[in-house]
Amino acid sequence: MPKAAEKVIEMKDVSNKSIERNWGNFGFDHNYPLVSRSSEMKDIFALIKKIAKSNATVLIHGETGTGKELIAGLIQFISTRSTKPFVKVNCAALPENLLESELFGHEKGAFTGAFQRRKGKFEEADGGTIFLDEIGDMHLTTQSKILRVLQDQEFSRVGGNQVIQVNVRVIAATNKDLIREIDVGNFRSDLYYRINVVNIQLPPLRNRREDIPLIAEFFRRKFSQELRKDVPGFHPETMDLLIHHNWPGNIRELRNMIERAVLLEEERKPIMPQDLAMPGRDYFAAGGKDRRKQSSTIMSLSTLKLADVEKEVILKALKMTNWVQKDAAKLLSISARVLNYKISIYKIKHPNWRKYSS
């Protein structure tokens, strides 16, 4: 194991300063379990530390976007195979006949279009680790061949008779309930027990909300650096929305949302709630009662006349967005053209608007 990695792994409690130092050295793939305040994630990391140096097969289970591939990469990174190949295969991305060729390779002439011999992923991973993502979507025929590799560490290429021996560690992942898949006949029970030597259950992001500020902050720094933009942080209300959002897409959804927000935010301004690509229903659900209560007390209306109320709401939206009309329109969920028309009707002016400056 690399000395630098060992130093990071032995940390029991990670402070913000130490996280900041290690981000620069490793990157999110290897810091992901460390950047956590969740006791469940700390237990997972302790388990990874125990089993990483062994050759035990690992099954990672979790919802889409929870970071299964990142965990597999971490196991490889701190294992004795860290300098050897780490080969990834998405079992759901290819049909059965192509997946078999992808995994085991094929001989010349094995099928139409097989113009030359080709090595498979298991051969490429020899000495290292192969990560079988979405193994629950694998066809039963291919499952039986995977079982043989796990039992005997040998296989034959498609269309060939030569027995090829390999030394490969297998890490598998799925978002399916494999016990249920066994019951309905979609997954082999013998393969399940072979890959389930070590089982890691990744919690969804909504069950580890204490980690959302840390992960969001990491992505803000990452994309600010990549895009060379000075986006200093998050508005408090923005972070509150992130913490209370349900995150059906988990970490992948959070990553995409922060990337978009950094991309669209202006220089030297924090990420505001309206910068989040969050559907209206989710936006208000994440805000909860406190947010709605705050919104109702922001303005004290002196009238209930519809036109006056509408003008006050538009003024409030403009003030909240520093009088940037396109941002105010977004906050009001109307088009910029409609807002411009309303501004004209209500004769709203501001010195920063060029047509009113003289």
Side-chain angles (χ1 to χ4, degrees):
M1 181 193 306
K3 289 183 178 179
E6 191 171 348
K7 182 179 179 182
V8 175
I9 291 158
E10 288 177 353
M11 296 168 62
K12 294 182 179 178
D13 189 18
V14 185
S15 66
N16 286 336
K17 289 184 178 179
S18 62
I19 288 172
E20 187 173 336
R21 288 195 301 269
N22 290 315
W23 273 343
N25 295 331
F26 292 96
F28 185 65
D29 289 23
H30 302 142
N31 278 278
Y32 164 68
L34 292 176
V35 183
S36 180
R37 294 178 177 136
S38 162
S39 59
E40 193 170 357
M41 286 305 302
K42 289 178 181 178
D43 289 342
I44 288 172
F45 178 72
L47 175 62
I48 290 172
K49 184 179 175 182
K50 290 178 182 178
I51 58 95
K53 292 183 180 180
S54 73
N55 291 317
T57 306
V58 181
L59 176 61
I60 305 170
H61 185 273
E63 294 179 7
T64 299
T66 49
K68 297 185 289 292
E69 184 177 323
L70 301 180
I71 292 295
L74 177 67
I75 295 171
Q76 159 76 1
F77 180 73
I78 64 177
S79 73
T80 55
R81 299 172 182 260
S82 60
T83 59
K84 302 297 183 180
F86 178 49
V87 178
K88 308 169 189 176
V89 182
N90 188 329
C91 301
L94 296 170
E96 178 194 358
N97 58 333
L98 294 180
L99 178 60
E100 188 175 341
S101 173
E102 184 78 3
L103 290 170
F104 307 114
H106 60 254
E107 297 290 351
K108 181 179 179 180
F111 49 83
T112 304
F115 299 115
Q116 60 184 2
R117 173 186 287 179
R118 181 178 179 275
K119 285 186 175 181
K121 297 299 185 183
F122 272 98
E123 279 185 86
E124 292 179 12
D126 190 22
T129 304
I130 189 167
F131 175 55
L132 303 177
D133 196 10
E134 306 300 351
I135 195 171
D137 293 280
M138 185 181 289
H139 193 274
L140 287 167
T141 304
T142 310
Q143 289 178 30
S144 64
K145 297 184 178 182
I146 293 291
L147 182 62
R148 181 189 174 191
V149 179
L150 289 171
Q151 289 174 338
D152 305 323
Q153 291 280 294
E154 63 181 32
F155 61 92
S156 297
R157 298 189 189 100
V158 176
N161 296 317
Q162 179 187 356
V163 176
I164 301 167
Q165 293 187 330
V166 290
N167 175 15
V168 175
R169 182 185 195 172
V170 175
I171 301 175
T174 184
N175 59 7
K176 291 188 173 181
D177 182 348
L178 293 186
I179 296 296
R180 183 181 179 281
E181 294 298 305
I182 291 170
D183 291 340
V184 297
N186 292 335
F187 203 82
R188 294 177 61 113
S189 60
D190 48 3
L191 177 58
Y192 172 76
Y193 293 114
R194 180 66 69 168
I195 63 176
N196 196 37
V197 176
V198 177
N199 187 287
I200 296 176
Q201 295 279 340
L202 286 182
L205 190 57
R206 62 184 173 274
N207 289 353
R208 42 184 292 225
R209 296 186 188 275
E210 64 269 42
D211 283 345
I212 291 173
L214 291 172
I215 300 173
E217 174 63 11
F218 170 82
F219 284 133
R220 182 195 65 78
R221 296 187 188 192
K222 171 184 170 64
F223 294 120
S224 293
Q225 184 177 13
E226 289 182 4
L227 298 169
R228 298 181 180 180
K229 290 186 69 175
D230 180 12
V231 179
F234 297 89
H235 187 277
E237 186 181 351
T238 307
M239 186 56 71
D240 190 59
L241 287 169
L242 293 175
I243 291 171
H244 291 96
H245 181 45
N246 198 42
W247 298 112
N250 292 291
I251 293 174
R252 186 179 296 129
E253 181 186 359
L254 175 59
R255 174 193 170 102
N256 293 343
M257 191 175 292
I258 300 303
E259 181 178 12
R260 179 187 182 278
V262 172
L263 182 64
L264 297 180
E265 187 53 82
E266 296 182 24
E267 290 278 353
R268 294 180 293 280
K269 288 187 178 181
I271 295 174
M272 301 297 292
Q274 58 267 25
D275 298 319
L276 302 178
M278 196 178 289
R281 181 182 62 184
D282 294 339
Y283 186 91
F284 288 108
K289 295 180 180 179
D290 289 342
R291 182 177 181 275
R292 285 193 290 269
K293 182 178 178 182
Q294 181 183 10
S295 299
S296 65
T297 56
I298 282 175
M299 285 187 293
S300 56
L301 299 175
S302 57
T303 176
L304 289 179
K305 287 179 63 177
L306 184 59
D308 292 340
V309 170
E310 185 177 55
K311 181 178 179 180
E312 287 191 47
V313 170
I314 291 172
L315 284 168
K316 185 60 188 177
L318 287 166
K319 290 175 184 177
M320 289 177 66
T321 56
N322 296 315
W323 296 87
V324 178
Q325 292 187 29
K326 65 175 183 178
D327 292 343
K330 187 176 178 182
L331 185 61
L332 293 167
S333 296
I334 60 176
S335 70
R337 185 176 180 180
V338 170
L339 177 61
N340 187 266
Y341 172 75
K342 297 284 186 182
I343 287 171
S344 176
I345 291 293
Y346 295 124
K347 298 180 181 179
I348 299 173
K349 301 179 181 181
H350 191 267
N352 290 347
W353 296 345
R354 277 178 294 178
K355 65 180 179 179
Y356 294 121
S357 60
S358 57

